[in-house]
Amino acid sequence: MKNEKELMRLCFPGDEARLPWLSLLLHAYAVIDNGVAEAVKVEEKKKKARLACAKGCSACCSTHKDIPVYPLELVGLYWFVVEKTLPPVREALKGQLLKHEKGAPCPFLINNACSVHLLRPVACRQFNVFSKPCAENEDPFYTRRKDVLIPIENYTNQAFSIMLPFYGITDEIAKARAIKNRLIHTQARILQECNWKELAIRMDNFDFTRNQHLR
Ligand code: SF4
Ligand code: SF4
């Protein structure tokens, strides 16, 4: 497993200086991505099959109705959508968030692409499928589970451990206990069940041309 310096991770220096939680989230996502890359390498060899996920392939985003998202991830999504999303995606996304009803497919999918790709949740990062792309409405977890990537637990645990200071847990013993008790998992919300209208309203309160909040 790579240490923090060896990891390739997204950097938003100005925002990270202002928003201390952001570095935790970006670091954790880098660990998750690294774990996925490692698992893909191992499973491609074992299964003798190539990863099917690719840019533009997005049936999974419409099919899944219960994607878990954790509190720190929600804060990250709010920040990214409000402060970093630009036209024309910004308008399209705002429209989808406004009309999102609980249980409908993920509102972040715009023109078959994830509009929050850089800040997409752990669950989306880890859901990968081998052999062939998913058919419309197919959930390969049920139709061909052997083709679904199994995330490497050590990476997931390390990523969640990095996020723990956001929840007020900083000492190593308490962190180990929290990971063992799956504390972050107990905080999960379902992405499709969230009220995203609130986020659409917050988009209006940010002037992205001047990079500042209006009130
Ligand atoms: S999980 Fe299925 S639909 Fe989603 S990107 Fe991978 S192959 Fe495509
Ligand atoms: S957040 Fe992005 S990757 Fe995840 S389901 Fe929604 S559109 Fe797909």
Side-chain angles (χ1 to χ4, degrees), residues 43-102:
E43 290 197 33
E44 277 189 335
K45 219 180 259 174
K46 204 161 71 185
K47 296 179 197 301
K48 295 191 175 27
R50 301 303 304 269
L51 185 70
C53 303
K55 203 172 174 186
C57 190
S58 61
C60 53
C61 303
S62 307
T63 306
H64 291 159
K65 299 289 185 315
D66 53 2
I67 296 170
V69 60
Y70 305 100
L72 175 56
E73 295 189 303
L74 283 169
V75 174
L77 283 170
Y78 263 67
W79 164 75
F80 188 78
V81 168
V82 170
E83 298 193 18
K84 300 294 171 199
T85 314
L86 299 174
V89 168
R90 192 174 180 89
E91 288 79 15
L93 179 55
K94 190 179 147 200
Q96 288 198 172
L97 293 171
L98 277 174
K99 64 174 193 234
H100 180 77
E101 296 296 340
K102 285 185 181 180

Side-chain angles (χ1 to χ4, degrees), residues 52-54 57-60 127-129 132-134 140:
C53 303
C57 190
S58 61
C60 53
F127 194 77
N128 286 272
V129 170
K132 59 179 182 183
C134 310

Side-chain angles (χ1 to χ4, degrees), residues 148 188 196:
V148 177
W196 293 109

